[in-house]
């Protein structure tokens, strides 16, 4: 995870330097998706090993569901950016929908956390 986070400034600087270049956008999105996947895996590891925590692992269920939802939304945004290059970083606005969708699913009883 640290490696992914330490690499993020590089594609971010490339975005500022090269603007709407397709490779730059792809590298940026891939780095953000990799970072989110690593964070979600870390939460899963902590959830499965509660002895590593000072408190119980029950509270990590919500973090895991949110992490998975964010990974899915980032992948959708990445695909949109690849298919519609003019949208590029505006496709990240898909992430705004994660919280309302999770609330809707909880209200319908489709997810417990």
């Amino acid at each position: 995870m640290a490696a992914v986070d330490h690499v993020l400034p590089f594609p971010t600087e490339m975005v500022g330097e090269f603007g709407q270049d397709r490779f730059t956008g792809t590298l940026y999105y891939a780095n953000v998706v990799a970072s989110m996947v690593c964070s979600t895996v870390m939460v899963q590891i902590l959830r499965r090993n509660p002895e590593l925590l000072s408190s119980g692992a029950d509270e990590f269920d919500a973090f895991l569901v949110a992490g998975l939802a964010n990974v899915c939304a980032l992948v959708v945004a990445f695909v949109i950016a690849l298919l519609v290059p003019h949208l590029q970083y505006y496709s990240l606005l898909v992430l705004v929908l994660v919280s309302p969708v999770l609330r809707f699913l909880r209200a319908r009883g489709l997810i417990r956390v």
Side-chain angles (χ1 to χ4, degrees):
M1 165 120 172
V4 174
D5 289 338
H6 288 291
V7 174
L8 186 58
F10 175 67
T12 303
E13 184 177 341
M14 286 180 64
V15 167
E17 192 70 29
F18 300 110
Q20 296 294 325
D21 183 55
R22 194 167 191 163
F23 172 77
T24 304
T26 302
L27 181 64
Y28 182 80
Y29 270 94
N31 196 292
V32 173
V33 169
S35 178
M36 186 58 71
V37 167
C38 288
S39 296
T40 304
V41 168
M42 184 178 64
V43 168
Q44 178 65 12
I45 290 169
L46 289 173
R47 192 173 143 284
R48 287 189 177 179
N49 300 296
E51 66 274 4
L52 297 174
L53 304 170
S54 58
S55 63
D58 298 335
E59 60 200 41
F60 279 90
D61 288 344
F63 291 123
L64 184 61
V65 169
L68 291 172
N70 280 311
V71 167
C72 291
L74 277 169
V75 169
V76 167
F78 189 31
V79 169
I80 291 171
L82 289 174
L83 295 176
V84 187
H86 297 292
L87 289 180
Q88 198 71 19
Y89 303 106
Y90 288 111
S91 64
L92 285 172
L93 290 173
V94 168
L95 291 169
V96 172
L97 301 174
V98 170
S99 186
V101 167
L102 287 177
R103 271 194 304 256
F104 175 79
L105 294 174
R106 282 187 194 109
R108 298 284 183 232
L110 298 173
I111 57 174
R112 292 178 288 146
V113 188

